[in-house]
């Protein structure tokens, strides 16, 4: 594949994940948990659903429908009148694991700008080039010179396409300079183009003005007051948080973020954000009805307009707005219902997940208090306590297992530098061992079950942002394996700090082995192609 073809694939992929795409699910997983009524934790009080005007049966219907429709949820929380009334994690995802948020990161970027404005450090009308005299071109055209912070927030910088991929590809690592080198076709403020490069520039401005990274800037101003701990955020080669994506937080953290906005910037009786900023950021600023899939505007949440990195929702949502990341990471704010919904997922469709919220949860929210229902509470509690992604099941054993176990397969030359591979097949576990020139890597796979572990397996998880640096070398993984047929062993490696998993297909033919990698994204977005090579090898005679 030539370089231009790779760049085109990357451009298309970035365009598709910029907003949570429509598609079909990877494979049907039917997904440990806490239930509303547990003691207060991390500052959000718990309550029963009925005490806040929602029936347990309606929430149960939401959960069961999410599973049956293969919506791809990893977690959810429902907050009503300031109380968590239901929460669940499909194991191996859990309440204590931070989840990759993709573009939901942008809303924390927007919030950083709001904080800097209320501190008097920035103004919406400030010109973008004014912050970077050493990086701007020697001569700037009128459009670039006119671009303001407000234009970055509303995705109306004037660019024809997303600038993020060219910035990530910059050879000198200076993303700001690369951003300035890209033509600004339209007059700023006049044309909506969803552009992750704009979000990055906001982060670069915060870093320039405040003298620290945006993550560090937010720590005492937002994260500490909300009780958000251990936030992590990817950076560019110069240490600037990439802003458009790369933030990792727990489900409850994004629920609290939504609750802060619902409360007009107040938290525990103290003002965190200026109320005017909250109203401005979350209100309609620009049309974007040409965005997304070819559906009727009134039926599509992507086409309802855009604020300061916040999305407006379709009319049926009754004034709701949301922070959104690719593959359906959400902090949904519902002012009319005094509610917040937080979701993490490897979502197959924005529309599918939004339908669950608007068709099931929204109408379930009643005024006042509902009669207590211990029976429904118990059913829901048991359901939420048992949520889990079911491990793949086909054939637990193969007639070849015993003869293959422990045998070394020596691999042909490959770009991953894998030298040999060994399988140890046992009754309830398979140990996959991969050796490179320098190290040996292992993953233990449960049979019809998950085994939790950590791995630094080369190439895994594959980097779905093409060239954006992976933020660490060791990953938590839940692994399971099954025989598809007598000659084909399939492993699922679910990297549960991310939305994604690897599907590793191992085909045996006498003394030969072929291993094919496929990230779960490739089953959702058909333009995404896993870059890892097919590994081929054989036993030595």
């Amino acid at each position: 594949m030539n370089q231009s073809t790779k760049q085109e694939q990357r451009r298309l992929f970035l365009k598709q994940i910029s907003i949570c795409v429509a598609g079909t699910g990877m494979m049907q997983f039917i997904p440990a948990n806490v239930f509303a009524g547990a003691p207060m934790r991390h500052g959000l009080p718990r309550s029963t659903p009925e005490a806040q005007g929602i029936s347990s049966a309606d929430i149960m219907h939401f959960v069961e429908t999410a599973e049956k429709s293969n919506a791809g949820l990893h977690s959810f929380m429902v907050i009503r009148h300031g109380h968590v009334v239901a929460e669940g994690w499909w194991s191996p995802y859990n309440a204590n694991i931070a989840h990759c948020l993709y573009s939901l990161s942008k809303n924390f970027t927007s919030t950083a700008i709001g904080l800097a404005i209320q501190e008097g450090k920035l103004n919406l009308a400030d010109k973008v080039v004014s912050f970077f005299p050493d990086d701007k071109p020697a001569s700037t055209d009128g459009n670039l010179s006119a671009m303001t912070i407000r234009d970055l927030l509303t995705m109306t910088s004037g660019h024809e396409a997303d600038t993020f991929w060219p910035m990530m590809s910059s050879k000198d690592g200076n993303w700001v300079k690369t951003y300035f080198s890209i033509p600004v076709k339209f007059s700023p403020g006049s044309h909506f183009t969803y552009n992750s490069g704009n979000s990055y520039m906001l982060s670069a401005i915060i870093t320039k003005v405040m003298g620290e990274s945006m993550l560090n800037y937010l720590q005492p101003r937002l994260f500490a007051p909300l009780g958000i701990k251990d936030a992590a955020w990817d950076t560019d080669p110069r240490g600037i948080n990439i802003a458009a994506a790369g933030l990792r937080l727990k489900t409850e953290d994004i629920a609290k973020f939504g609750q802060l906005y619902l409360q007009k910037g107040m938290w525990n009786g103290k003002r965190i954000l200026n109320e005017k900023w909250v109203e401005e950021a979350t209100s309609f600023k620009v049309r974007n009805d040409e965005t997304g899939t070819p559906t009727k505007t009134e039926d599509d949440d992507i086409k309802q307009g855009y604020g300061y990195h916040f999305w407006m929702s379709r009319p049926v949502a009754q004034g709701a707005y949301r922070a959104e990341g690719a593959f359906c990471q959400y902090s949904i704010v519902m002012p009319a219902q005094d509610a917040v919904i937080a979701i993490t997922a490897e979502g197959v469709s924005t529309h599918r997940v939004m339908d669950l919220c608007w068709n099931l949860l929204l109408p379930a929210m009643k005024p006042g208090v509902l009669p207590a229902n211990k029976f429904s509470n118990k059913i829901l509690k048991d359901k939420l306590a048992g949520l889990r992604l079911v491990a793949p099941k086909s054939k637990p054993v193969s007639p070849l297992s015993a003869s293959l176990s422990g045998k070394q397969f020596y691999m042909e030359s490959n770009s991953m530098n894998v030298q040999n591979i060994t399988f140890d097949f046992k009754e309830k576990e398979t140990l996959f061992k991969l050796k490179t020139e320098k190290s040996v890597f292992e993953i233990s796979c449960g049979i019809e079950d998950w085994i939790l572990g950590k791995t630094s397996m080369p190439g895994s998880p594959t980097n779905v942002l093409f060239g954006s640096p992976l933020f660490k070398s060791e990953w938590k993984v839940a692994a399971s394996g099954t025989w598809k047929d007598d000659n084909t062993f399939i492993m699922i490696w679910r990297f549960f700090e991310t939305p994604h998993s690897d599907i590793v297909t191992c085909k045996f033919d006498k003394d030969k082995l072929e291993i094919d990698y496929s990230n779960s994204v490739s089953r959702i977005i058909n333009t995404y192609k896993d870059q890892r090579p097919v590994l081929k090898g054989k036993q030595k005679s």
Side-chain angles (χ1 to χ4, degrees):
M1 183 182 297
N2 62 40
Q3 187 64 26
S4 62
T5 302
K6 287 182 180 179
Q7 290 187 7
E8 179 64 13
Q9 280 194 358
R10 290 162 175 159
R11 184 188 67 79
L12 289 171
F13 178 70
L14 285 169
K15 180 179 179 181
Q16 287 177 291
I17 68 167
S18 291
I19 52 179
C20 191
V21 296
T24 56
M26 49 173 185
M27 64 173 63
Q28 182 79 31
F29 290 116
I30 313 169
N33 285 4
V34 289
F35 173 64
M40 179 185 289
R41 185 187 60 187
H42 306 315
L44 282 179
R46 265 59 179 175
S47 174
T48 62
E50 284 75 13
Q52 307 304 327
I54 310 176
S55 78
S56 296
D58 283 334
I59 294 175
M60 182 74 166
H61 184 41
F62 165 81
V63 174
E64 291 180 333
T65 304
E67 292 183 338
K68 289 176 182 177
S69 65
N70 193 26
L73 300 195
H74 295 158
S75 73
F76 81 98
M77 297 184 77
V78 178
I79 297 91
R80 185 91 195 280
H81 305 320
H83 293 74
V84 179
V85 299
E87 54 192 322
W89 287 260
W90 279 260
S91 178
Y93 295 91
N94 65 71
N96 298 314
I97 295 294
H99 198 280
C100 173
L101 299 182
Y102 281 104
S103 286
L104 201 158
S105 309
K106 290 180 171 71
N107 298 87
F108 287 83
T109 300
S110 169
T111 301
I113 294 295
L115 288 165
I117 288 174
Q118 73 186 38
E119 291 178 4
K121 302 294 186 181
L122 295 175
N123 190 291
L124 288 172
D126 288 342
K127 300 296 192 290
V128 176
V129 293
S130 69
F131 297 100
F132 308 100
D134 296 333
D135 294 315
K136 69 179 183 179
S139 60
T140 58
D141 64 24
N143 285 344
L144 178 58
S145 296
M147 188 192 304
T148 66
I149 287 177
R150 187 184 189 279
D151 298 325
L152 299 180
L153 287 166
T154 57
M155 297 296 180
T156 58
S157 60
H159 291 95
E160 187 174 18
D162 198 333
T163 61
F164 200 52
W165 165 243
M167 292 162 68
M168 288 194 298
S169 303
S170 62
K171 293 182 180 179
D172 64 357
N174 188 332
W175 293 13
V176 171
K177 188 174 182 179
T178 301
Y179 180 89
F180 286 147
S181 72
I182 299 169
V184 183
K185 180 177 180 179
F186 304 100
S187 175
S190 68
H191 179 83
F192 178 89
T193 297
Y194 192 79
N195 183 354
S196 291
N198 292 346
S199 305
Y200 169 82
M201 290 301 292
L202 293 171
S203 175
I205 288 170
I206 289 287
T207 302
K208 185 78 169 182
V209 171
M210 301 304 175
E212 59 182 341
S213 72
M214 190 165 59
L215 177 63
N216 289 341
Y217 175 72
L218 285 174
Q219 186 59 46
R221 295 166 174 85
L222 180 69
F223 295 140
L226 268 60
I228 295 174
K229 299 179 180 179
D230 303 320
W233 210 328
D234 292 348
T235 67
D236 77 348
R238 299 193 300 165
I240 299 171
N241 294 123
I242 67 175
L247 179 62
R248 292 168 299 284
L249 296 174
K250 302 177 183 69
T251 309
E252 186 154 355
D253 297 335
I254 62 175
K256 288 189 284 189
F257 179 76
Q259 188 66 27
L260 173 69
Y261 272 84
L262 180 64
Q263 295 170 177
K264 303 292 186 181
M266 296 294 293
W267 192 261
N268 289 338
K270 296 182 179 180
R271 178 153 300 282
I272 305 298
L273 271 174
N274 184 289
E275 182 174 356
K276 182 180 178 181
W277 169 264
V278 172
E279 292 174 351
E280 281 284 303
T282 61
S283 60
F284 180 97
K285 290 292 178 293
V286 60
R287 286 182 54 193
N288 66 334
D289 49 319
E290 295 181 357
T291 303
T293 55
T295 54
K296 292 181 180 179
T297 298
E298 62 270 22
D299 295 334
D300 195 336
D301 286 272
I302 295 298
K303 300 181 178 182
Q304 303 308 313
Y306 200 70
Y308 295 160
H309 281 19
F310 283 86
W311 298 88
M312 308 301 106
S313 293
R314 58 181 129 137
V316 69
Q318 302 176 14
Y321 58 87
R322 67 195 186 280
E324 175 176 332
F327 306 102
C328 303
Q329 324 310 317
Y330 293 116
S331 183
I332 303 167
V333 181
M334 304 164 66
Q337 289 73 33
D338 191 26
V340 171
I341 302 169
I343 288 173
T344 64
E346 184 175 51
V348 298
S349 164
T350 292
H351 206 286
R352 190 178 304 181
V353 177
M354 289 293 95
D355 279 350
L356 289 171
C357 296
W358 309 146
N359 296 344
L360 301 181
L361 289 180
L362 186 151
M365 297 179 183
K366 309 298 184 185
V369 177
L370 299 181
N373 190 327
K374 292 184 179 180
F375 179 73
S376 291
N377 268 204
K378 177 66 164 58
I379 293 174
L380 179 59
K381 181 179 180 180
D382 290 345
K383 175 67 176 177
L384 296 180
L387 295 178
R388 68 190 306 268
L389 300 176
V390 170
K393 295 181 181 180
S394 186
K395 297 178 61 175
V397 297
S398 161
L400 300 177
S401 298
S403 62
L404 294 171
S405 191
K407 299 294 178 63
Q408 282 194 341
F409 290 87
Y410 295 85
M411 312 312 290
E412 298 174 4
S413 177
N414 59 85
S415 60
M416 290 172 60
N417 298 315
V418 178
Q419 292 188 336
N420 61 65
I421 286 173
T422 306
F423 296 84
D424 186 4
F425 293 105
K426 300 177 181 178
E427 182 180 358
K428 295 185 178 181
E429 176 183 355
T430 294
L431 178 63
F432 174 79
K433 187 181 296 186
L434 178 150
K435 184 179 183 299
T436 66
E437 182 178 345
K438 296 181 179 179
S439 302
V440 176
F441 305 90
E442 298 179 350
I443 291 183
S444 292
C445 301
I447 303 301
E448 299 187 352
D449 199 1
W450 300 102
I451 291 180
L452 304 185
K454 295 180 180 180
T455 186
S456 52
M457 186 72 65
S460 293
T462 185
N463 186 357
V464 297
L465 280 180
F466 297 104
S468 174
L470 290 172
F471 58 91
K472 60 182 184 177
S473 59
E474 185 176 69
W475 297 80
K476 293 182 175 68
V477 63
S480 183
T482 188
W483 287 91
K484 180 181 177 182
D485 54 49
D486 288 351
N487 300 295
T488 308
F489 184 69
I490 295 178
M491 296 180 285
I492 306 295
W493 299 342
R494 182 169 288 281
F495 299 95
F496 54 93
E497 296 161 296
T498 82
H500 309 304
S501 58
D502 280 351
I503 302 99
V504 186
T505 302
C506 310
K507 297 180 180 179
F508 299 93
D509 181 12
K510 298 179 181 178
D511 63 342
K512 297 179 181 178
L513 169 65
E514 181 175 294
I515 296 182
D516 188 15
Y517 292 91
S518 176
N519 187 269
S520 54
V521 174
S522 64
R523 302 198 178 199
I524 298 174
I525 303 176
N526 56 19
T527 58
Y528 173 73
K529 306 298 181 186
D530 200 302
Q531 300 297 302
R532 288 170 290 186
V534 175
L535 301 178
K536 297 181 180 181
K538 61 185 299 184
Q539 298 177 33
K540 286 186 177 179
S541 54

